[in-house]
Amino acid sequence: MKYKVTLFKNKFDTDTSSVFSYDNFDDFEKLFYDLYKLPATKSTAPLISMATYNAGDTRANRNVVEWSGWCAMDVDDLVVDCTNNLDELYKVLQRICGDYQFICYSTASSRTVHPKFRLVFPLSNNVPAEKIKHFWYAINKQLSQIGDVQTKDLSRMFYI
């Protein structure tokens, strides 16, 4: 399975030509650590998307071809107090996500008493554009509906 990432310079960028491909999930995961180290503000931070597009298309839901090898879900409303440590969150995620492999990282609005984070999952198949909405609802249901429904669009970008 190839894990493809479309990289955007900032939240205003619509150029879909910056695509990177990874042959294994470990290398793909390393991308997150590398991007996290870049100095940036919210207006200049790079964003990534699991959507791939036809050559020459701009970022828009109508131009998405597929999600390529991975998916991501924002979790904003799961109530877990992490004041003392992250053990409780880890236990909750283990219960919800079971044996699924995932990357978890906090988002900018996360707080110790109300963690907000993103879950990134490897897929065993690409998801064609016409099946993405159904796929998103299915995975959200599988994960006890913890996903933020505002982040289900086909061409969703995510800050690192």
Side-chain angles (χ1 to χ4, degrees), residues 11 13 32 46 61 64 66 68 72 91 117 119 121 130 141 148 155:
K11 66 182 179 180
D13 186 7
F32 285 83
N61 285 340
V64 172
E66 66 185 8
S68 298
K91 289 176 192 173
F117 52 92
L119 296 172
F121 297 94
E130 63 274 6
K141 185 175 181 180
D148 179 356
S155 63

Side-chain angles (χ1 to χ4, degrees), residues 12-74:
F12 306 107
D13 186 7
T14 61
D15 179 7
T16 62
S17 64
S18 186
V19 178
F20 299 89
S21 184
Y22 299 88
D23 291 325
N24 62 66
F25 197 69
D26 289 339
D27 290 343
F28 173 74
E29 183 177 29
K30 185 179 178 308
L31 168 73
F32 285 83
Y33 289 104
D34 292 345
L35 289 173
Y36 176 77
K37 293 174 188 174
L38 295 176
T41 64
K42 191 156 186 171
S43 62
T44 63
L47 294 97
I48 60 171
S49 178
M50 56 257 177
T52 55
Y53 307 82
N54 287 317
D57 282 348
T58 57
R59 184 180 57 84
N61 285 340
R62 69 181 177 279
N63 294 334
V64 172
V65 173
E66 66 185 8
W67 283 358
S68 298
W70 62 286
C71 69
M73 181 169 290
D74 278 359

Side-chain angles (χ1 to χ4, degrees), residues 106-126:
S106 62
T107 57
S109 57
S110 184
R111 301 294 175 259
T112 305
V113 294
H114 186 173
K116 296 183 180 189
F117 52 92
R118 185 161 298 124
L119 296 172
V120 177
F121 297 94
L123 302 176
S124 56
N125 295 297
N126 294 333

